[in-house]
Amino acid sequence: MEQYEPERLSAPQLAAMRRSLRDGRGALTRRSLLRASGTAALALGGLGALSACGIPPAEREGDAAASDDHSAAEKQINFSNWTEYMDVGEDEKSRPTLAAFTKRTGIKVKYTEDINDNVEFFGKIKPQLAAGQDTGRDLIIVTDWLAARIIRLGWAQKLDHANLPHAFANLSAQFRRPDWDPGRAYSYPWTGIPTVIAYNEKATGGRKVDSVTQLLDDPKLKGKVSFLSEMRDSVGMTLLDMGKDPGAFTDADFDAAIGRMQKGVDTKQIRRFTGNDYTADLSKGDIAACVAWAGDIIQLQADNPAIKFSIPSAGYITSSDNMLVPAQARHKTNAEKLMDYYYELPVAAQLAAYINYVCPVDGVAGELAKIDESMASNTLILPDKAMAAKSRAFRSLSSEEETAYEEKFAKLIGA
């Protein structure tokens, strides 16, 4: 089925993926090492109601053909997820929220932690998807750029929003309209991954660092600044600082952002571009301030109170990991019920308390406070309205754009 074959990856794209897998976002564990110390229904029906709540249904050509749904006869779900991306009981074996779902519904969940990185996982399922075959999975979780590709290729099933009343009602506004699935017709986020500015208060002499401009221009930070080796994060944060929208930038805007960072390299303001290995240098103070991933900062703050973070007034970049039902999945309705279950407030709180990433479920603070008050007030887990309003997503790229942009970025960082 040649028409379904995705574009071949260029050398710059492959190089960027290798960087990510070695020490970038692909190398991150999917939660911090922190754990919680302890362990609602608004039914809105149908796709036709979407526009009333600000989620217009997405329109696509070449959607996946509806598969035969065996949910009624087969009370089961095959669920593939990342490692350490699900709550675990005190026995270190049980999955409390999954067990509660099965007890309530009678639907058994075969839960498999078989996603180590997006590229490798896509390689596993691509042959079946391209051949129009069942992957053996009813629910998968992949990062936004891969979710976009799967949807674009027609390899994800359109969701029945009548089965998703909690997800429909409780999805946070900042996650409602990704350009690759603007109506959330095919996906719902599992969690968000914010990119922020972090600094070591001791290394900055008590000064706050809260902008990319400060990172690039403050002489007191010279040689003690790092940016991330992930193009979308570093370029996206720089575009925002320049007053450009990462969701609607031009080639000229991209080149200007690269030039802005190149000046920081040439003047040695920027110490280096890093994956998540910046954490040790930030904690020691060898790096005073940097562009960072929020999940790392939550972990570092547990051991070092000098580690602070800031949200630039210009905004910050957020990506997401997302739930999809693959084409030809046998148990679509059951999968939708599980997706919706994780948008019930008590369940969402229990999951957020364990994985410590941004919870995409609105109104969960009260339930999370019952588990851990400090988590409920942590804006890296539950962004307040002011922070959420500053969240921006890096726009989807064509294969040609990604090749050109990654090549320019690789030259900048010396990769």
Side-chain angles (χ1 to χ4, degrees), residues 7 27 79-80 97 136 205 230 248 267 274 330 344 347:
E7 61 276 7
F79 183 4
S80 285
T97 57
E230 295 276 357
T267 61
T274 76
R330 288 180 62 88
E344 295 181 19
V347 181

Side-chain angles (χ1 to χ4, degrees), residues 55-351:
I55 315 181
E59 296 182 1
R60 282 186 40 80
E61 295 181 0
D63 289 331
S67 63
D68 293 334
D69 191 351
H70 300 267
S71 292
E74 301 174 3
K75 296 293 186 180
Q76 63 186 72
I77 301 169
N78 295 316
F79 183 4
S80 285
N81 202 350
W82 297 79
T83 58
E84 301 194 55
Y85 226 11
M86 178 66 72
D87 57 299
V88 177
E90 293 182 1
D91 59 4
E92 297 293 327
K93 295 180 181 179
S94 62
R95 309 281 186 180
T97 57
L98 288 177
F101 174 80
T102 297
K103 183 176 181 180
R104 181 200 297 182
T105 64
I107 299 170
K108 295 181 179 180
V109 182
K110 181 182 178 182
Y111 183 75
T112 309
E113 294 180 322
D114 61 345
I115 306 180
N116 296 309
D117 67 76
N118 288 286
V119 179
E120 179 187 54
F121 182 68
F122 188 53
K124 289 180 183 179
I125 63 175
K126 174 186 165 185
Q128 292 97 326
L129 291 171
Q133 298 173 351
D134 180 12
T135 65
R137 299 166 175 87
D138 302 303
L139 188 62
I140 61 175
I141 294 181
V142 293
T143 304
D144 44 18
W145 66 266
L146 181 54
R149 176 172 293 181
I150 291 172
I151 292 169
R152 186 174 70 245
L153 291 167
W155 291 345
Q157 295 195 51
K158 182 173 284 189
L159 302 173
D160 182 351
H161 285 264
N163 294 328
L164 295 158
H166 297 96
F168 179 81
N170 295 336
L171 177 62
S172 296
Q174 74 179 97
F175 294 103
R176 284 182 175 252
R177 297 181 60 84
D179 65 353
W180 46 269
D181 187 16
R184 287 293 180 184
Y186 299 87
S187 69
Y188 270 90
W190 183 253
T191 193
I193 307 169
T195 302
V196 299
I197 290 178
Y199 60 99
N200 184 318
E201 199 171 41
K202 289 184 178 179
T204 65
R207 293 182 304 120
K208 182 178 182 179
V209 180
D210 59 3
S211 71
V212 170
T213 291
Q214 195 173 353
L215 291 177
L216 291 173
D217 294 343
D218 187 343
K220 294 182 179 179
L221 297 177
K222 185 174 181 177
K224 291 192 171 186
V225 167
S226 69
F227 279 66
L228 292 168
S229 58
E230 295 276 357
M231 180 267 288
R232 288 168 175 80
D233 295 302
S234 288
V235 173
M237 292 290 282
T238 304
L239 283 168
L240 282 167
D241 190 72
M242 297 169 65
K244 303 296 183 180
D245 182 359
F249 62 89
T250 64
D251 287 348
D253 295 333
F254 183 89
D255 290 345
I258 291 291
R260 180 89 171 88
M261 286 184 284
Q262 184 65 60
K263 181 180 177 183
V265 172
D266 294 342
T267 61
K268 301 189 185 307
Q269 179 78 9
I270 297 176
R271 183 187 185 95
R272 61 192 180 103
F273 289 82
T274 76
N276 63 339
D277 54 323
Y278 67 86
T279 55
D281 285 346
L282 179 63
S283 189
K284 289 187 296 184
D286 292 339
I287 290 176
C290 60
V291 177
W293 288 306
D296 290 336
I297 303 311
I298 295 174
Q299 179 178 335
L300 289 176
Q301 286 179 326
D303 298 320
N304 187 345
I307 303 301
K308 308 293 183 182
F309 78 94
S310 62
I311 303 299
S313 60
Y316 66 103
I317 295 292
T318 301
S319 59
S320 59
D321 284 336
N322 308 273
M323 297 180 278
L324 297 176
V325 178
Q328 302 304 320
R330 288 180 62 88
H331 310 109
K332 175 175 179 285
T333 298
N334 290 345
E336 289 167 341
K337 290 179 179 178
L338 185 62
M339 293 170 70
D340 191 63
Y341 170 73
Y342 278 101
Y343 274 77
E344 295 181 19
L345 300 186
V347 181
Q350 192 168 348
L351 181 67

